Amino acid sequence: MEISALQKVRYTYQPKLPASLSGEVSDIALELGAPTESVADQGDLKTLFKRTYGKPLAAFVKGKNDRLGRLLKVGVILSGGQAPGGHNVIAGLYDGLKKGNRGSTLYGFLGGPIGLIENKTVEITDSFIDRYRNTGGFDIIGSGRTKIESPEQFAASLETAKKLNLDAVVIIGGDDSNTNAALLAEYFLEQGSSTQVIGCPKTIDGDLKNEHIETSFGFDTAVKTYSELIGNIERDANSAKKYWHFIKLMGRSASHIALECALQTHPNICFISEEVLEKKLSLDQIVDQICASVVKRAANKENFGVILIPEGLVEFIPEVGKLIGELNNLLALHAGEFGKISLFSDQVSLLGEKLSPSSAELFMRLPQDIARQLLMDRDPHGNVQVSRIETEKLLIGLTEKKLKELKAAGTYSGSFSAMGHFFGFEGRCAFPSNFDADYCYSLGFGAFVLIASGLTGYLSSIKNLVAPASQWIAGGVPLTMMMNMEQRHGSKKPVIKKALVDLEGAPFKAFAAERDAWALTTGYLFPGAIQYYGPPEICDEPTRTLKLEHQG
Ligand code: FBP
C-alpha cells in the first residue's frame, strides 16, 4: 500500500518523554501524596466508590523500583470520538510494557468498549504498532461510544478480563469514558478481581481538564488544523472582499476550540457558548450582534468577514436550549410512537402539541431544515447530536432577513453574501502535532508505570506542559478526585466534571480584550499549517490557551 512521504518520515519520529520516564525502567520510582477528596459531593462518592475513593496523587520520580519489570497482560480501549495522538498513547503503553518485560502482552479491544464486553481483541506486536506510530486516527483498533452500563455489561467485562488473565485495562477517552473507567475499577475490586483500570485523557473538545490535567490530548492538533483553515479563509475573504464566512467548529458543549481558534486567527466575531448562556442572549440578540459588525464594516466598504460559531452554541441559547431539552424528553418518552411516523409534518403535529407554548412557537418559527435536524437520532446518552445541526446556516438565514429589514429602514446599504462551513472531522485525525505526539506517548508510557506499580482507578497525568518535554511532570490522578454528582436521565449519577470555558480565565479575558477591534477592522492572523520539522518555537509550541492558563 502506498504511504505518503510525511507518513514514512513520521514513523521514525521518536517522541520526547519527561526526564522522570526516560532511561531504565528500574529507575522510575513512585511517590504517593496524601489522601484526596472529590471536587464535590464527597459523602455520596465515598459511598459509591468504597474501594477506590480518596486515593493519593501519584508522581513519578527518579529512584529505584523493582516492580516495573513484572510480566504483564494489558488490554487497551479507544473510546468516543477520534482525537489526534491516540495511536501514540498505545505506542507509549506498548513500548513501556516491552521495556519493562519483553514477554508482556498488549491486547487492543476492537471497536471501543464493546470490544471488552464481547472479548474482541487483536494482539499488538512490534510490526503492527510500527505502522501506526505518530499517525492520526483511531484505525489501529477502532473506537466506539458504547457505555458499559448494565449489570450484564459489567459482568461481561469482568468475564473478558478473567479469560484473558488481564492485569489491567487502559481506557483512552473523555469525561464519560473515564467515568466509566472509575466505575469499572470499583466494580473489579468489589468482585474480588485484581484487574486494574487506568484512564488516559482524550478529546479534541478540550473539556476534560482541571488542576491536574492541563489539557486533553488531540486539542492541540485539532485547533491548529482548524486555525490553518480559518486563516486561509480569512486571507481569501480579504482578497475577494465579497463574502462573509460563517464557520461552525466542533466542540460538543464547551467552546474551548472556538476560543483557541479565535486567539490564533483574530476573526471578526467568535461566539463563546458559555458567555451566551451567562448573558442569556437570545437568538435575535446574537443575530443583532452579527448585523452590527456587518453594517459597520460595510460603512468602511468591507463587505466581508469571518465568524466562528461553536457547534454547541444552539444548546446554550436559553430559548433553543429549552426547546432541545423538551424535545429530548419527548423523544425518549414517545420513542415507540415517534419511530412509526415518517412524515415530518406528522412528527411536528405529534410533538408540537406536547411542547410548552414558548418552545412550540420557536419550533414553528425555525427554518424547516433546522427543525428537522433537531428531531434527528439522539446519541447513546440521549443528547441531540449538535455536529449535525447546521447552526451556521441558521445564522446566515436570520442575518439575511435582518439585513433586509435594515436596508428597508435605510440604516444599511452594503452587500451581503454568505458562505457556511463546518470544520470538525478535518481536525480529528490529522497527523498529531509534535506536542500531541510527545504528550500522548508520555501518557501511554505513564499508564504502563501506573499499572506496573499496582495502581487502579487512576488517570495518567502529564503536567507542566508549557515547558520542554524533558521538564514535564508525570504521574497519576485518582479518578474519583475529579468527580461530582450530576442529574442524568432523571437520577443523580457520579460523573467527571466537564470543564467549560471559564469566563474569568485568562484565555477568555485575552479574547474579550481584543474582540471589539476585530469586529470592525481587518486584523486577521495566519498561523499556517502545523510544522513537524524545524525550529522548536514553530514545531513544539503549545496552544495559546495552555500558555495563558499557565500565566494566569
Ligand atoms: P469525544 O467527546 O468523544 O472526544 O468526541 C467529541 C466530538 O469530536 C465532538 O466535538 C463532536 O460533536 C462529536 O465528537 C461528534 O461525534 P460523532 O463522531 O460520534 O458524530
Side-chain angles (χ1 to χ4, degrees):
M1 199 173 72
E2 189 183 351
I3 58 166
S4 71
L6 182 67
Q7 182 159 340
K8 203 166 171 185
V9 174
R10 286 309 274 173
Y11 281 160
T12 61
Y13 175 77
Q14 183 51 54
K16 302 184 265 304
L17 276 173
S20 63
L21 295 179
S22 307
E24 295 304 315
V25 291
S26 53
D27 292 335
I28 306 173
L30 182 74
E31 233 174 46
L32 294 177
T36 57
E37 294 278 9
S38 59
V39 286
D41 308 307
Q42 291 81 6
D44 288 341
L45 289 161
K46 241 180 234 173
T47 313
L48 286 168
F49 294 91
K50 288 194 177 60
R51 296 154 192 87
T52 49
Y53 184 88
K55 296 194 170 213
L57 281 168
F60 307 139
V61 291
K62 283 276 170 214
K64 284 289 149 220
N65 191 343
D66 55 9
R67 300 199 70 191
L68 303 198
R70 289 192 296 136
L71 194 67
L72 293 166
K73 277 197 177 154
V74 174
V76 63
I77 298 171
L78 287 165
S79 182
Q82 283 70 248
H87 290 163
N88 268 30
V89 180
I90 299 180
L93 173 63
Y94 179 83
D95 289 352
L97 282 165
K98 294 288 179 184
K99 206 168 171 184
N101 189 317
R102 261 319 290 174
S104 289
T105 311
L106 180 62
Y107 296 107
F109 285 109
L110 299 174
I114 194 81
L116 174 65
I117 297 168
E118 295 180 352
N119 193 3
K120 300 238 166 75
T121 60
V122 60
E123 187 179 333
I124 297 183
T125 59
D126 288 348
S127 58
F128 185 48
I129 192 74
D130 286 349
R131 295 207 302 274
Y132 294 93
R133 289 182 190 272
N134 307 302
T135 59
F138 278 8
D139 42 323
I140 184 170
I141 50 175
S143 184
R145 291 199 183 275
T146 310
K147 229 174 134 187
I148 302 172
E149 216 163 16
S150 66
E152 294 75 26
Q153 288 173 323
F154 275 98
S157 304
L158 179 62
E159 205 42 44
T160 301
K162 277 187 192 156
K163 274 193 191 135
L164 296 176
N165 204 10
L166 290 184
D167 293 286
V169 174
V170 175
I171 299 184
I172 303 172
D175 51 344
D176 283 333
S177 310
N178 278 298
T179 296
N180 237 211
L183 291 164
L184 205 59
E186 180 69 24
Y187 175 79
F188 282 164
L189 286 177
E190 186 189 281
Q191 297 298 313
S193 159
S194 60
T195 305
Q196 302 154 236
V197 183
I198 298 296
C200 286
K202 171 234 73 165
T203 176
I204 60 159
D205 292 4
D207 53 10
L208 172 49
K209 66 172 168 181
N210 52 52
E211 197 192 335
H212 301 286
I213 303 297
E214 295 178 0
T215 187
S216 52
F217 80 75
F219 177 74
D220 185 272
T221 310
V223 291
K224 285 174 179 164
T225 306
Y226 303 142
S227 295
E228 180 207 351
L229 300 175
I230 295 163
N232 295 350
I233 285 186
E234 287 178 338
R235 199 135 217 174
D236 193 284
N238 194 22
S239 306
K241 300 198 190 296
K242 60 178 179 183
Y243 295 123
W244 273 85
H245 294 271
F246 285 58
I247 305 172
K248 184 177 81 162
L249 292 163
M250 258 192 185
R252 213 166 2 161
S253 309
S255 305
H256 298 293
I257 292 180
L259 177 57
E260 173 66 25
C261 290
L263 291 168
Q264 287 197 27
T265 62
H266 301 183
N268 300 102
I269 298 176
C270 172
F271 292 103
I272 301 297
S273 307
E274 292 81 345
E275 186 188 26
V276 167
L277 182 67
E278 193 185 85
K279 292 189 170 160
K280 299 192 174 46
L281 294 185
S282 65
L283 203 46
D284 288 343
Q285 285 171 310
I286 287 172
V287 173
D288 286 347
Q289 213 169 306
I290 298 173
C291 291
S293 176
V294 172
V295 170
K296 283 185 194 145
R297 286 176 60 77
N300 294 336
K301 304 262 171 302
E302 296 199 310
N303 289 299
F304 63 91
V306 171
I307 301 179
L308 304 187
I309 304 155
E311 70 172 358
L313 179 72
V314 278
E315 282 196 292
F316 285 73
I317 302 171
E319 79 254 33
V320 188
K322 179 168 177 271
L323 167 63
I324 291 175
E326 287 182 27
L327 288 174
N328 287 348
N329 285 339
L330 288 174
L331 289 173
L333 219 62
H334 302 280
E337 212 180 328
F338 189 80
K340 289 187 201 129
I341 310 175
S342 54
L343 266 184
F344 176 64
S345 53
D346 294 342
Q347 294 177 339
V348 171
S349 42
L350 171 75
L351 297 171
E353 61 200 35
K354 296 185 168 64
L355 287 167
S356 66
S358 61
S359 292
E361 187 275 323
L362 175 63
F363 192 54
M364 300 304 170
R365 195 157 48 90
L366 288 174
Q368 218 188 77
D369 280 354
I370 304 291
R372 267 181 212 278
Q373 288 157 14
L374 291 182
L375 298 186
M376 281 186 312
D377 292 345
R378 268 39 189 169
D379 72 9
H381 304 275
N383 300 316
V384 69
Q385 299 187 52
V386 281
S387 60
R388 297 174 69 185
I389 299 174
E390 294 172 304
T391 317
E392 70 284 15
K393 291 197 182 149
L394 170 67
L395 292 181
I396 289 174
L398 295 174
T399 303
E400 279 169 347
K401 196 164 157 239
K402 180 81 194 186
L403 288 174
K404 263 191 202 138
E405 289 167 21
L406 296 178
K407 219 167 218 176
T411 49
Y412 167 63
S413 58
S415 65
F416 180 77
S417 179
M419 311 278 279
H421 311 263
F422 170 38
F423 297 155
F425 301 99
E426 293 81 349
R428 293 206 306 188
C429 287
F431 279 98
S433 60
N434 285 355
F435 174 89
D436 269 329
D438 300 345
Y439 179 41
C440 290
Y441 190 81
S442 302
L443 285 170
F445 201 99
F448 149 69
V449 182
L450 291 169
I451 294 165
S453 306
L455 301 184
T456 189
Y458 277 77
L459 191 62
S460 178
S461 138
I462 306 288
K463 298 207 296 187
N464 200 27
L465 292 169
V466 291
S470 61
Q471 295 164 35
W472 288 354
I473 299 166
V477 191
L479 285 162
T480 56
M481 192 182 176
M482 297 175 275
M483 296 179 99
N484 67 169
M485 302 294 290
E486 287 176 23
Q487 199 70 21
R488 297 276 166 100
H489 303 300
S491 61
K492 280 207 142 192
K493 295 265 162 65
V495 291
I496 292 179
K497 204 166 160 25
K498 213 182 245 313
L500 298 181
V501 168
D502 176 5
L503 302 181
E504 293 304 317
F508 180 79
K509 282 188 174 162
F511 158 72
E514 303 258 23
R515 63 175 159 185
D516 290 348
W518 298 346
L520 289 185
T521 53
T522 301
Y524 302 144
L525 200 59
F526 312 116
I530 293 176
Q531 302 294 308
Y532 299 92
Y533 299 96
E537 67 270 24
I538 296 176
C539 297
D540 297 343
E541 219 204 351
T543 59
R544 289 178 180 228
T545 302
L546 206 50
K547 285 199 277 189
L548 286 161
E549 280 171 348
H550 267 260
Q551 285 162 21

